[in-house]
Amino acid sequence: MFDTLMSWETSNFDVAANRQDAARLADNGEVEATASWIEATDGLLRSHGIPLLVFLAPVGSVDPDYADFWKPWPRAYNWNYICDERDTRLASSLAKSGIRYVDLRENLANIPGTYRKLDGHWSQKGEAIVADRIALELRSPLRGRPVSE
């Protein structure tokens, strides 16, 4: 872990300076590729009368504890800006395609302790919040429109 962190912090590749700068560095090809397979999955499922609901998992920086832990390592932390930009673009693409999705940023934003600090995966607290949201969505009738915008 330390070797990887030092390699990021001492490298000379371009990183986003802030959330707004991430738009410059985020490669739209990755978003388009992801959207294309989600659209293909949606088309296949619809042909069998099965609805699709996509859950978008945000990066750990939505958790203030995670953000505070990583901010002293700005080059590593700033990767979160690019990932968040990609998530925003994917949500927009899904909305334009009429694919139902839930952006879990709304549920996890600003809640401390929802992500594990070293690997950026959900903690038990984060898992519980996401599980509650998934359960809520699965109990509600499928409306055929995006859940989040």
Side-chain angles (χ1 to χ4, degrees):
M1 175 82 181
F2 186 73
D3 184 50
T4 301
L5 187 58
M6 287 297 99
S7 129
W8 271 73
E9 293 302 318
T10 60
S11 67
N12 63 357
F13 58 85
D14 202 8
V15 296
N18 53 46
R19 177 61 178 86
Q20 294 72 31
D21 188 37
R24 175 179 62 87
L25 294 173
D27 179 6
N28 213 41
E30 293 172 354
V31 173
E32 290 169 355
T34 301
S36 72
W37 67 257
I38 293 173
E39 290 169 10
T41 300
D42 184 55
L44 178 64
L45 291 173
R46 283 179 191 262
S47 73
H48 294 284
I50 302 168
L52 175 67
L53 177 57
V54 176
F55 290 87
L56 300 177
V59 291
S61 56
V62 298
D63 175 343
D65 289 346
Y66 176 94
D68 288 345
F69 180 83
W70 283 103
K71 280 184 180 174
W73 306 98
R75 294 182 66 79
Y77 179 76
N78 289 0
W79 179 251
N80 290 283
Y81 297 136
I82 294 172
C83 295
D84 189 54
E85 174 67 20
R86 289 180 182 148
D87 289 349
T88 298
R89 290 180 186 183
L90 182 58
S92 176
S93 177
L94 295 176
K96 288 176 186 169
S97 297
I99 295 174
R100 290 191 70 235
Y101 70 94
V102 175
D103 188 339
L104 293 169
R105 284 182 282 199
E106 299 168 4
N107 299 91
L108 295 165
N110 300 314
I111 300 175
T114 53
Y115 283 77
R116 297 188 318 217
K117 292 180 185 81
L118 290 182
D119 67 9
H121 291 92
W122 293 320
S123 64
Q124 287 183 329
K125 181 178 182 178
E127 290 171 354
I129 290 168
V130 170
D132 287 345
R133 180 63 191 265
I134 290 171
L136 175 70
E137 293 302 324
L138 293 179
R139 283 192 296 265
S140 68
L142 296 174
R143 297 177 287 272
R145 62 173 176 77
V147 175
S148 302
E149 310 220 317

